[in-house]
Amino acid sequence: AFAGATVHDMFNFMTVGVLLPLEAATSYLFYLTKAMVKNFQTKDGEDWDGPIKTLVEPIGVLVIIENKDVTKAVAKGGSCD
């Protein structure tokens, strides 16, 4: 697992090393994003859920069962037992 995390970290460093100077020099990411959302308009009171959340949330609800009482008790200094 440690080797995988190290590879992931190096990917992140290299991505920043490539995209940060590219954005600083050309504003490429700004113009790309602007072109992608040029027709997007929000309405008052409208919430936007990203595509990843839309795909993952139904599966997560089936897998993860949250016990809010335990969460509140731990937040108040209690234990998980």
Side-chain angles (χ1 to χ4, degrees):
F2 186 75
T6 304
V7 171
H8 185 262
D9 288 344
M10 291 311 301
F11 172 79
N12 288 339
F13 285 131
M14 290 190 305
T15 302
V16 169
V18 170
L19 292 180
L20 183 63
L22 179 69
E23 176 63 17
T26 65
S27 299
Y28 171 73
L29 296 174
F30 171 76
Y31 290 114
L32 177 65
T33 305
K34 188 175 177 181
M36 290 170 61
V37 297
K38 70 179 177 185
N39 294 327
F40 180 75
Q41 297 189 4
T42 60
K43 297 178 177 82
D44 289 337
E46 181 178 50
D47 268 348
W48 182 78
D49 289 333
I52 301 297
K53 183 176 181 181
T54 304
L55 293 172
V56 173
E57 189 173 22
I59 297 167
V61 169
L62 296 174
V63 174
I64 300 170
I65 300 169
E66 180 184 11
N67 187 341
K68 293 183 181 182
D69 295 332
V70 172
T71 306
K72 288 178 187 176
V74 171
K76 291 180 181 177
S79 115
C80 292
D81 299 333

